[in-house]
Amino acid sequence: MIWSRRRFIQRVGSFSSVGALSVALPFETWAIGEEAGEVNASGSTPRFAYVASSDTDGGHIAVFTVTKERWNLVQTIDSRSPNALVLHPHRDVLYVANQVSEYEGLPCGTVEAFRIDAKSGELSLLKRQRLSLSGTNPSCIAISPDGRSMAVALDGGGAYNLLSLNDDGVPEQVSSIIKETGAGLHPEHQGSARPRFVLFDPMYQNLLSADLGCDRLSVFCVSDGEMVRNQHVNTVSGSGPARLALHPTNDVLYAASELDGSLSSYAYERSTGKIGKHLQRFAYSDASIKALPSHASLIVHPSGKFLYSSLSGSDGVITVWGVQRLTETLSPIQSFKVATKSLRGLHISQDGSELYTLSDVDDTVSRISIDKNSGELGSTRRQVEVIGATSIALKYT
Amino acid sequence: MSTTVTRQDARYDTLRKSRNLRWPSSGDEFASEVDLCDSEGDVAEVLQRVVSAGMRPTVRSGGHCYEDFVVNNPNGAIIDLSLLKQGRLPDERAQYTISAGQVLGEVYLDLYKRHGVTIPAGTCYGVGAGGHISGGGYGVLSRLHGLTVDWLSAVNILTVDAHGKVVRRRVSKENDPDLFKACRGAGGGSFGIITSFHCDKLPPAPQEIVEAHISFDWKDMTEARFIQILQTYGHYWETRGKDPDTWGLFAGLGLSHSSSGRLGIGLQFCNPDGTCKDLSVVNEFLDLFQHCKPIAGAANLPGDKKVFHDPKAPKECVGDHEIARHQWLEATIGGGGGGGEARTKYKSCYMKRNFTTDEAKIIYKRLTQEAPGVDLRGFVLSVDSYGGATNKLSLADETSRWQRSSVMKLQYQYYWRNAGEDDARLKWLHDLYADIYSTSNVDPRYTSTPYPGEYYEGCYINYPDADMLKYPFWTGLYYGDQYPFLQGVKRKYDPNNIFHHAMSVRA
């Protein structure tokens, strides 16, 4: 499909409900290897929603004000092939990873920082910052818990960049670069290192990462603008890890892989910042995934009781997992079929009552209710249509 | 045994720099370390450590890179090959070996004294062989003997495989021929670290050469006379200069700003047999300029190569012209060259045809106009003769130095000291260059550049100009139609893009 700015259409309001569809779980399961507390509901409805949209014109960010039922488009602002959005933890700044391979003729990607108007939610560009030479096609941004550092995974450049954020949250020059090497079983996808995801351990300044190209999870220690590799963990050969999520208690790490459609869990030793024992692994046995992998998404419910995954090859199924803290195991609760075959992202509302899904195939952001007790997904509402949607960020305060 | 110089080392501030004082552009761009290696084993060990640590390696042999490709390496490692001299030792598999760490002066001396042969390489004798030869390597003997890469039979190179392991390779027409071809002219910093070059055969060094100079005073210059000088010069290389008996003649026309005093022509000549018994070619060439009323003697231009103007050299006459005769080694080594440190900017162009009147008029206008606040005395446009043996078309396929149809090679050079003058000088040079390549000679799609076509053949990768990156077609200027081939080599031998800079081959 060719997208263009002209096709950027907002459709607000209720669309037909897809509803829940329970199907048999399509997994083979291998066992390899307490409750997190109540949800701190500081608000169920975000104030603003930001949706990145990438098209042949380059792309833009759509800004919505949010009421209980409606999203109202208040602004679209240009952005260079926006690929991932993330908010500063305590400043009114939105960051964008631009999936580009050139900037001013140089072989590098960029990140953008937008100031958020606290009243209207509207964005204004603060800075476009180039990444390291050969650091192309950034795929993910993470902001450190203290709001002082930005880490970027560079899918095209096989590298990680660390940038300092100034007092206003504006990114400065790249201060640290880690260039990765490696390859995997599938030359078409794994000819070289492809860092796809970064995630800060919220309690420590450790950066966790997933590298699809060389089947590797890594932990980096971040301090004083420097990033030092602390650990490499090899995943199953040919798996292609691409998404990570930490349990709210920070002692279990979940990894979704795109080339084999698998989900793994690992013990995470938060005091040492090391990935420990491989606890559990679920994988599709469908070889076709390797030929045509789709996006994987992963998110833990704020209560820590449930995990939601949309795995590569799952054909539009969101799996709800129960998290058994005593045994540190996952068990499937529900398979929930959504209307689209490929989900680009999952996002849970702050109070854990709603799951937002993002699809770049049928160009929708949908909202699905979550039963807080069982974790099961219920009624679905197509919230808004955004052509070429790639990422979403919800701002609550 | 390698030596790692870090920020705490007293040598760091000296070794982290480029000879072009514009680089590194800021403290944020400094490399973390400089690794001095004195054997191929050292280089392999250091490279493995650097790659495993996730650092970016850049490579330096002589330190003359015109752009920031080596020393702008934030938190990375500069692997310095300047102590790597083992290439002087005989290699049992090749007749002649040149280490990437040798400077050209050492190479000339070594090859001459051991074997009586030479390479047709450059006149800046402090330039490192690694960068110079990997980009083609041309100089005053190139019209007679071709480019240095034309003579290579094998190259030792370290690459990094997909899993991050350093691989030592000796590439040739038989082993990894695609990588061997890429190493013959595509420039440094794209595929791996070349540690030595090998040749089964090299041309004999000339026995002697003659040199001569004429110059023209700007005070007496008119536009018509200026055009006449340029077109007389260009016409010779486009016509008579193609005859093999002239291939021993190399000349440089130095076009300076009018505020500098003179512009001039310097030449070096030997007959194809390496002697100077028959100087009729020199006489014929110099005669062409008589109607332009030259002055005997050199113009003393910025960045001038001493080989062309040793004022103390004894003079003799050929016809009406004063020449100086030298033994070849003395002329080649004695001049030194390579320059000191300065802030510099360079641009280049291969010319397939003589200067058009429009081009000459633009150059004249620019060189006679003052630019408020800009000192133009540090500028020179060197118009070097080209062609002859460099234009053997079969070598365009055999090597990756694809420009094989040009008769002149232009190097725009600008030298200054004060960082505060950077912007004005860079803009002046940028505008001059854009002006010259915006005539009707240039396809409008490629305006402001010497894009390959009827008149031009792009730019020289050893004179890189990052200004060209703003054009989406910049790869066509430097790599020509070989770029897709080079991209394939890149993907095959450097899948993780370990070796990269702003103008390296991109996969």
Side-chain angles (χ1 to χ4, degrees):
Chain A
M1 177 189 293
I2 302 297
W3 293 309
S4 72
R5 181 179 293 279
R6 290 187 297 279
R7 287 205 58 217
F8 183 84
I9 305 164
Q10 181 208 6
R11 292 184 187 164
V12 180
S14 279
F15 283 63
S16 60
S17 174
V18 176
L21 175 65
S22 292
V23 295
L25 291 169
F27 293 139
E28 293 177 23
T29 305
W30 297 271
I32 301 174
E34 163 175 338
E35 306 289 86
E38 293 303 308
V39 171
N40 178 15
S42 60
S44 61
T45 305
R47 291 184 64 211
F48 308 116
Y50 301 93
V51 182
S53 166
S54 195
D55 62 24
T56 50
D57 291 343
H60 33 264
I61 312 291
V63 182
F64 300 90
T65 55
V66 178
T67 61
K68 188 69 182 172
E69 296 299 325
R70 297 181 66 85
W71 286 18
N72 297 305
L73 181 69
V74 294
Q75 183 193 20
T76 60
I77 188 166
D78 285 347
S79 175
R80 303 178 72 225
S81 300
N83 187 35
L85 301 180
V86 66
L87 291 160
H88 193 282
H90 39 262
R91 301 218 175 274
D92 291 331
V93 182
L94 176 74
Y95 302 98
V96 182
N98 306 114
Q99 191 174 26
V100 295
S101 57
E102 247 183 48
Y103 177 63
E104 294 181 345
L106 292 171
C108 57
T110 56
V111 291
E112 293 167 335
F114 290 92
R115 188 177 70 81
I116 298 172
D117 183 282
K119 285 186 179 173
S120 68
E122 291 188 22
L123 302 175
S124 53
L125 183 65
L126 283 169
K127 188 177 187 185
R128 182 171 291 133
Q129 175 63 51
R130 85 169 178 88
L131 298 170
S132 63
L133 204 63
S134 98
T136 58
N137 294 319
S139 51
C140 182
I141 293 175
I143 307 296
S144 62
D146 64 2
R148 306 298 302 178
S149 303
M150 169 193 284
V152 186
L154 296 154
D155 186 318
Y160 300 97
N161 280 186
L162 186 73
L163 300 86
S164 293
L165 301 177
N166 71 15
D167 291 343
D168 296 322
V170 178
E172 295 174 342
Q173 274 191 296
V174 173
S175 62
S176 186
I177 306 162
I178 298 281
K179 171 76 177 170
E180 295 286 29
T181 55
L185 277 180
H186 311 298
E188 67 277 31
H189 304 297
Q190 298 187 300
S192 61
R194 293 182 59 191
R196 287 292 293 275
F197 199 84
V198 280
L199 171 72
F200 272 100
D201 167 352
M203 295 185 69
Y204 296 90
Q205 289 286 86
N206 293 320
L207 181 73
L208 297 99
S209 74
D211 189 321
L212 182 145
C214 46
D215 300 319
R216 185 186 293 156
L217 307 180
S218 302
V219 183
F220 302 95
C221 182
V222 174
S223 176
D224 296 329
E226 290 295 313
M227 179 169 46
V228 178
R229 190 189 288 133
N230 195 18
Q231 187 189 19
H232 267 340
V233 173
N234 293 326
T235 62
V236 170
S237 187
S239 56
R243 284 289 183 279
L244 299 175
L246 265 175
H247 191 272
T249 53
N250 293 317
D251 53 6
V252 179
L253 175 69
Y254 304 102
S257 296
E258 288 188 353
L259 300 183
D260 67 357
S262 70
L263 171 65
S264 285
S265 59
Y266 297 83
Y268 177 63
E269 297 164 13
R270 54 192 174 186
S271 57
T272 58
K274 296 229 172 191
I275 298 168
K277 188 178 176 186
H278 190 181
L279 302 172
Q280 216 173 359
R281 179 168 182 263
F282 304 88
Y284 282 102
S285 54
D286 185 354
S288 67
I289 294 170
K290 290 158 190 163
L292 199 62
S294 56
H295 293 284
S297 297
L298 200 60
I299 191 161
V300 184
H301 192 271
S303 69
K305 294 177 183 176
F306 314 110
L307 174 74
Y308 298 83
S309 70
S310 166
L311 300 178
S312 174
S314 66
D315 210 17
V317 171
I318 298 171
T319 304
V320 184
W321 305 84
V323 178
Q324 312 301 320
R325 296 292 298 153
L326 286 175
T327 56
E328 292 183 330
T329 56
L330 296 173
S331 52
I333 291 174
Q334 182 191 22
S335 280
F336 187 87
K337 184 84 171 79
V338 291
T340 184
K341 283 191 172 182
S342 171
L343 289 175
R344 186 69 189 247
L346 299 177
H347 191 98
I348 293 181
S349 64
Q350 208 166 35
D351 69 346
S353 65
E354 289 172 329
L355 177 73
Y356 294 89
T357 66
L358 191 70
S359 167
D360 61 353
V361 174
D362 64 358
D363 304 323
T364 57
V365 177
S366 297
R367 187 158 56 112
I368 309 171
S369 66
I370 297 175
D371 182 311
K372 288 187 184 177
N373 293 317
S374 68
E376 291 190 8
L377 300 174
S379 62
T380 301
R381 175 187 292 270
R382 292 182 74 184
Q383 190 68 50
V384 68
E385 182 173 309
V386 178
I387 303 298
T390 58
S391 184
I392 185 171
L394 302 177
K395 186 161 175 61
Y396 288 82
T397 56
Chain B
M1 184 77 179
S2 65
T3 302
T4 297
V5 175
T6 60
R7 290 170 196 264
Q8 292 73 38
D9 193 302
R11 294 167 289 183
Y12 176 79
D13 276 344
T14 299
L15 296 178
R16 67 165 174 76
K17 285 192 307 181
S18 166
R19 281 175 179 268
N20 184 343
L21 296 178
R22 291 172 57 216
W23 318 122
S25 51
S26 73
D28 293 332
E29 306 287 353
F30 290 1
S32 288
E33 62 184 55
V34 180
D35 295 291
L36 301 158
C37 302
D38 62 11
S39 71
E40 186 179 288
D42 275 358
V43 182
E45 197 174 291
V46 166
L47 178 61
Q48 186 64 71
R49 175 177 61 75
V50 166
V51 169
S52 298
M55 299 164 77
R56 174 191 173 209
T58 54
V59 188
R60 177 166 69 192
S61 49
H64 285 77
C65 184
Y66 284 178
E67 288 288 354
D68 66 357
F69 302 163
V70 177
V71 295
N72 271 19
N73 187 2
N75 299 324
I78 298 172
I79 298 180
D80 187 307
L81 308 182
S82 59
L83 300 180
L84 186 62
K85 308 292 188 190
Q86 89 276 25
R88 290 182 176 189
L89 300 173
D91 182 301
E92 69 276 12
R93 290 169 293 179
Q95 184 68 26
Y96 311 110
T97 294
I98 300 162
S99 165
Q102 288 178 277
V103 296
L104 297 181
E106 292 173 319
V107 175
Y108 293 137
L109 199 65
D110 189 66
L111 289 174
Y112 183 83
K113 288 189 171 176
R114 290 177 192 278
H115 309 289
V117 298
T118 192
I119 53 174
T123 54
C124 294
Y125 309 126
V127 166
H132 181 76
I133 298 176
S134 57
Y138 98 111
V140 293
L141 293 180
S142 285
R143 279 176 41 80
L144 188 57
H145 294 308
L147 304 176
T148 306
V149 290
D150 299 347
W151 294 85
L152 297 181
S153 54
V155 167
N156 281 19
I157 182 170
L158 304 171
T159 58
V160 178
D161 73 11
H163 298 281
K165 299 288 181 211
V166 172
V167 181
R168 293 168 77 155
R169 300 176 188 273
R170 185 186 183 88
V171 299
S172 63
K173 285 181 182 173
E174 291 74 38
N175 300 315
D176 301 325
D178 47 359
L179 180 56
F180 178 55
K181 176 178 171 178
C183 291
R184 299 175 75 185
S190 282
F191 309 106
I193 301 180
I194 291 174
T195 54
S196 56
F197 303 94
H198 307 280
C199 307
D200 290 335
K201 189 180 171 190
L202 282 173
Q207 188 179 330
E208 60 178 350
I209 59 99
V210 295
E211 62 179 48
H213 307 273
I214 52 175
S215 53
F216 306 91
D217 203 317
W218 270 109
K219 281 187 294 193
D220 310 324
M221 193 61 63
T222 62
E223 182 186 74
R225 189 169 167 226
F226 184 85
I227 293 169
Q228 192 174 38
I229 293 167
L230 262 62
Q231 292 188 331
T232 300
Y233 184 82
H235 180 71
Y236 180 85
W237 304 116
E238 192 184 27
T239 54
R240 175 76 173 103
K242 291 182 176 177
D243 297 335
D245 66 310
T246 70
W247 289 6
L249 178 63
F250 178 92
L253 166 62
L255 301 175
S256 58
H257 189 259
S258 56
S259 58
S260 67
R262 291 188 198 177
L263 54 92
I265 296 172
L267 69 82
Q268 175 179 303
F269 174 78
C270 69
N271 293 122
D273 67 356
T275 69
C276 293
K277 292 172 186 164
D278 179 359
L279 297 178
S280 56
V281 168
V282 175
N283 198 34
E284 174 193 347
F285 177 76
L286 292 173
D287 275 350
L288 296 173
F289 296 91
Q290 285 311 294
H291 63 289
C292 303
K293 299 177 183 169
I295 308 163
N300 287 319
L301 301 172
D304 232 351
K305 297 152 188 157
K306 285 187 180 176
V307 66
F308 282 134
H309 61 94
D310 177 2
K312 295 176 186 166
K315 302 292 189 294
E316 59 184 274
C317 286
V318 52
D320 295 332
H321 313 292
E322 196 174 63
I323 61 165
R325 189 179 295 261
H326 301 278
Q327 290 182 325
W328 175 81
L329 186 66
E330 173 195 312
T332 302
I333 303 295
E341 292 177 338
R343 304 183 77 79
T344 59
K345 177 66 183 175
Y346 304 88
K347 293 175 180 288
S348 67
C349 167
Y350 285 91
M351 290 185 73
K352 294 165 77 172
R353 305 274 297 272
N354 190 4
F355 290 98
T356 62
T357 301
D358 282 350
E359 280 175 318
K361 281 183 173 177
I362 291 169
I363 297 171
Y364 178 79
K365 183 180 167 189
R366 286 283 183 169
L367 294 184
T368 51
Q369 275 180 343
E370 296 297 327
V374 185
D375 184 348
L376 296 169
R377 287 172 298 177
F379 170 76
V380 65
L381 168 54
S382 297
V383 185
D384 289 348
S385 57
Y386 207 69
T390 65
N391 281 350
K392 289 179 183 166
L393 285 177
S394 62
L395 290 165
D397 286 332
E398 195 177 307
T399 70
S400 50
R401 194 72 267 127
W402 54 282
Q403 288 114 328
R404 301 286 181 172
S405 304
S406 292
V407 296
M408 290 180 285
K409 186 170 180 175
L410 277 55
Q411 183 178 192
Y412 296 76
Q413 309 168 56
Y414 203 174
Y415 303 88
W416 67 99
R417 302 291 302 182
N418 185 352
E421 299 171 16
D422 283 6
D423 289 348
R425 290 182 185 253
L426 293 173
K427 182 178 185 312
W428 182 85
L429 183 54
H430 172 276
D431 292 349
L432 164 73
Y433 190 81
D435 243 15
I436 292 173
Y437 302 110
S438 296
T439 69
S440 58
N441 295 356
V442 183
D443 183 325
R445 291 173 297 172
Y446 308 116
T447 190
S448 306
T449 74
Y451 197 80
E454 185 184 348
Y455 290 88
Y456 308 114
E457 212 173 12
C459 307
Y460 184 31
I461 191 61
N462 273 3
Y463 302 159
D465 171 16
D467 291 353
M468 296 295 105
L469 286 169
K470 70 181 172 186
Y471 303 109
F473 51 82
W474 71 268
T475 57
L477 292 167
Y478 288 90
Y479 299 110
D481 58 8
Q482 292 204 359
Y483 195 59
F485 161 76
L486 295 171
Q487 288 180 295
V489 174
K490 175 75 174 175
R491 285 191 288 270
K492 183 175 173 184
Y493 293 97
D494 185 23
N496 285 291
N497 196 18
I498 296 294
F499 302 98
H500 59 264
H501 54 73
M503 300 180 83
S504 58
V505 174
R506 302 175 190 178

